Each structure stands twice: as C-alpha cells, then as structure tokens.
Amino acid sequence: MDRVIIIRYGEIFLKGKNKSYFESLLINNIKHSLKKFKHEFSRSQARYVISNYDGNFEAEIIDTLKKVFGIHSLSVADRVECDWQNGFEQILQSIKRLAISLAEGNVLKNPTFRMTVKRADKHIPMRSYEIAALLADAVLKNTDFTVNLSDYDYEITVDIRENGFAYVYSEKIYGAGGLPVGCSSKGMLLLSGGIDSPVAGYMMAKRGMKQCAVHFASPPYTSERATAKVVELRDIISPYTADMPLYIVPFTEIQLEIHEKCPAEFMITIMRRFMMRIASVLAKKEGCSAIITGESLGQVASQTVESMTSTESCAELPVFRPLIAFDKDETMALAARIGTYETSIQPFEDCCTIFLPKNPSIHPNLKKVIEAENKLDIDALVARAIEAVQKR
C-alpha cells in the first residue's frame, strides 16, 4: 500500500484512432513538467500514475500538474496491490480500512457520502455495485456518515484497474483541460507586457499550440525593468506552454523614423505593421505556423476591424486573436487566475505607449497607410531590427 497521484485526461477521449498521438504528447509534457522531482511514472488504461515521490513535494507536484494542458483531473490516492485469486477477502479488508480512514478524516458535522466503485478489472468475482455496498456498509458501521447518492458531502471512490492495483481516494482536483501542447503546431506570440497578451498565449496553449514570443523594446524610452517585466511574464506562462523562447527586438529606430516621416494619425497602424513583418520573419525561423496577439475587437484604436485588417495585411502567416470577443473584465479575471495580472499591471511603459498621437486613426484607409509608410526604407529597417534581436 502506498500513496500515488492519479492523472486523467479529458478531450483526448474524443480523438479516436489518433488518440495514441495525443497521449504520447501528454505523457512527454507531464514528464517534462516533473523533471525536477524524483518520481516514477506508469500508465494504466486512460490513467497515468505518479508514484515513489517525496511526500514533502506533493502539493508542488500537484500544482505543477494542474498547469499541464490535456489533464482533466487528478486525485491523490492510496494504492493497494490486488491479487484477487489468492486473497480476495484480505484485499477487500485493506480497501475497507482505507475507505473508513478517509471518512474519519472529514471535518463536517453529520456528513453524507456516496461510495463509487469502478471495476476495469473484470476478473474480480463481484460486480461493482456489490463491492460498493460492502464498502459503504463498513463506513456506515464505523463512522457517523450517512448515505446520500445524489446530494452528498463526500464521494469515496475505489478505482480497480486492470494493472493489478486498486486506488482509493475521496478528492478530485481539476486540471487545466484542453489539448496537449504541441499537437497544434507552433505560434509566435506578440508579448507586450500588458494584461492581454499573456492571456492570449495561455488560451492558444490550451488548444495545443506550442509558442515562441517576441517583445518590442524601445530603449532609452523603455527601461530595462520593462523588459524584465516581460521576461517575468514569459516565465509565469511557460509552465502552461511547455517552455517559451523569447525574442527581444530593438524598436526605437523604427518608431523614430515613423514619428519623423509619417502622418501622426497613422503612427500606431504603421508601427504595428512593422511588428507583423518582424514577427513573421522570426516566426518562420522558429518553424511557427501562426502569429498570436492579445487584440480584442474595439478595445482601443488599433483594434478596430479596419486597423486589424491593415496590420494583418503585412503578416505572412495567419493571425490568431483568441481574446477577440473578450471584454476587459473577462481578460483581467483570467489573468488573475493564471497568475500574470499582478506582473502585467506593474507601471513600466512598453513601446506602444511612447510617441502616441493625440488623434490616432480609428478606421485607417489601407491605401493611405501604404502611401504613408512608403516614405520609409521598410526592408532596411526590418533587417537592422532583426539583426539586433536578443533571444532569452
């Protein structure tokens, strides 16, 4: 008998003949996330088991697993070895003692419970409901619990697997859900340092997209602390994205050129067009298939349909906007839940907040935007920016 963590997946169940591909990705991501912890990994039908770990790190291991997309839920369980042919009654008594022990650990007055038995091993000489009745009877005789099958305080579960073990537990901890990162190609995230873009990265990771990130810095107008803030945001969301290389692009020269030579009303639009060009080049170097932004329709002047159409026309890859229909409250709530909000609101300016015009064009005409930016040596500016990129 020992203590283990059971892992269950969710959406992967729907993948039919391709399920093994998604499972292999999830297994690799689980092992990668737990690489700093001593443990053993094994699998059962539609279950994974973490065993032989240091119990002092149990809470940290669970917190780590909760950030692995593809995991539906976890349970900390007591594991009982089951050789039903040679010791049926003895095994049943061990499971009874564990069920009673779980019930005795409750903190409620007049608690109710339901006993659930799952029997993947069909060689057992009893049906699931018969085993459940025996176990429930033991709990009723030894505790102050009462049975309520529909409105219960606790559910004690015995999961008898085909691998020769039974798992006894009473708590289900929900994971991040979604699909395993890596099953949906790779994207390049425009990581600004604000509230929206880290959440956008999280959302795309939930749909299985591995990511790199690019940040545009404008020293001396933006400080090193602003860049450090973006690095910190990258580090916060990396457990969800299964690591995330970060490119820092020097953007000062481009912004100064736009400020000096282009109409002020088009400055934001032209600036974002340059970002799309540079992101496209870096994305191709990294083998990315898409660009990801934190844009939300109508949130600011650069996020109207016309503005986004104008900037997207410079992208050489599809542009994904997972927050397109979110309002700010929804994005802020999700940022708080995944741990990026407090960092995002640190008051360090990013490049998008400098040289801002008083009256930016809300509905820019693409033809006029192109005429305005043709005053610049676009290819040379992009080339120099990419040449000076730093990777962190």
Side-chain angles (χ1 to χ4, degrees):
M1 185 185 311
D2 60 343
R3 193 173 173 91
V4 301
I5 299 172
I6 303 172
I7 300 171
R8 310 173 195 85
Y9 55 71
E11 195 172 340
I12 292 176
F13 272 117
L14 306 175
K15 297 304 177 182
K17 294 181 180 179
N18 295 320
K19 188 166 70 172
S20 60
Y21 165 71
F22 290 89
E23 278 199 86
S24 65
L25 282 174
L26 179 55
I27 290 170
N28 288 338
N29 291 345
I30 290 170
K31 290 180 177 179
H32 177 75
S33 74
L34 297 181
K35 62 184 178 182
K36 71 175 183 178
F37 302 104
K38 182 179 178 298
H39 69 284
E40 290 183 13
F41 177 93
S42 59
R43 60 188 301 179
S44 175
Q45 187 180 42
R47 301 283 190 277
Y48 310 126
V49 179
I50 306 299
S51 59
N52 293 327
Y53 58 87
D54 186 339
N56 294 319
F57 295 103
E58 184 174 274
E60 189 176 351
I61 290 172
I62 290 171
D63 185 62
T64 299
L65 290 171
K66 284 166 65 177
K67 296 176 181 177
V68 178
F69 284 118
I71 293 178
H72 174 264
S73 61
L74 317 160
S75 291
V76 178
D78 288 303
R79 180 171 66 176
V80 180
E81 190 169 359
C82 299
D83 184 355
W84 298 101
Q85 292 182 341
N86 297 323
F88 182 81
E89 287 300 325
Q90 183 179 354
I91 293 168
L92 208 56
Q93 288 302 318
S94 295
I95 295 174
K96 282 182 182 179
R97 286 194 293 271
L98 288 173
I100 292 168
S101 177
L102 284 175
E104 289 174 340
N106 87 88
V107 295
L108 299 178
K109 187 177 181 179
N110 300 319
T112 58
F113 83 108
R114 181 173 80 174
M115 181 66 67
T116 299
V117 174
K118 301 176 181 179
R119 187 173 56 100
D121 186 350
K122 304 304 181 184
H123 296 95
I124 303 169
M126 290 182 72
R127 295 183 181 276
S128 297
Y129 72 87
E130 294 174 320
I131 298 172
L134 284 174
L135 297 176
D137 183 62
V139 172
L140 288 169
K141 288 178 178 178
N142 289 275
T143 71
D144 60 349
F145 272 61
T146 57
V147 171
N148 190 322
L149 298 180
S150 58
D151 185 19
Y152 48 86
D153 299 312
Y154 293 93
E155 181 176 27
I156 299 174
T157 301
V158 178
D159 192 359
I160 304 170
R161 308 304 301 171
E162 79 293 341
N163 61 356
F165 291 99
Y167 302 92
V168 185
Y169 57 90
S170 62
E171 183 181 12
K172 183 179 286 188
I173 303 165
Y174 286 96
L179 293 172
V181 170
C183 71
S184 299
S185 191
K186 186 191 289 187
M188 178 64 73
L189 172 67
L190 272 61
L191 190 60
S192 69
I195 295 172
D196 301 334
S197 55
V199 177
Y202 168 89
M203 293 291 289
M204 292 309 302
K206 188 171 186 177
R207 300 314 303 157
M209 180 163 275
K210 196 169 180 62
Q211 293 165 58
C212 304
V214 56
H215 174 69
F216 296 89
S218 297
Y221 302 99
T222 58
S223 67
E224 182 57 36
R225 288 195 296 176
T227 300
K229 168 185 167 180
V230 172
V231 173
E232 183 179 346
L233 286 170
R234 184 278 307 271
D235 293 343
I236 293 171
I237 61 175
S238 282
Y240 294 105
T241 60
D243 294 333
M244 178 184 280
L246 173 63
Y247 290 92
I248 308 294
V249 179
F251 206 54
T252 311
E253 181 188 9
I254 292 173
Q255 285 189 284
L256 288 172
E257 284 285 299
I258 297 171
H259 182 62
E260 292 173 7
K261 298 180 180 179
C262 300
E265 63 185 291
F266 294 143
M267 179 162 185
I268 295 175
T269 303
I270 295 173
M271 181 178 70
R272 292 189 67 81
R273 284 167 63 83
F274 269 93
M275 289 179 176
M276 286 293 183
R277 291 185 178 101
I278 293 168
S280 295
V281 174
L282 295 175
K284 288 182 177 181
K285 286 184 177 181
E286 281 283 351
C288 296
S289 302
I291 293 170
I292 305 162
T293 79
E295 292 168 307
S296 173
L297 184 61
Q299 184 167 267
V300 293
S302 63
Q303 295 177 20
T304 63
V305 171
E306 294 84 356
S307 292
M308 289 190 288
T309 300
S310 179
T311 56
E312 186 171 343
S313 67
C314 288
E316 298 178 28
L317 297 169
V319 178
F320 292 162
R321 300 178 174 93
L323 308 184
I324 194 69
F326 279 36
D327 63 32
K328 199 65 176 183
D329 286 342
E330 291 172 311
T331 303
M332 289 166 60
L334 186 48
R337 182 161 70 81
I338 66 176
T340 58
Y341 179 76
E342 292 299 329
T343 301
S344 290
I345 63 173
Q346 291 176 8
F348 303 126
E349 291 188 329
D350 61 37
C351 71
C352 295
T353 62
I354 61 177
F355 303 126
L356 287 180
K358 290 183 179 180
N359 298 298
S361 177
I362 298 175
H363 306 290
N365 180 282
L366 181 56
K367 182 178 179 181
K368 291 182 178 179
V369 170
I370 293 173
E371 289 175 356
E373 73 176 5
N374 280 340
K375 298 175 183 177
L376 308 171
D377 190 342
I378 295 171
D379 292 341
L381 288 169
V382 169
R384 285 197 291 271
I386 290 173
E387 188 176 347
V389 161
Q390 294 181 357
K391 189 176 182 180
R392 299 194 187 184

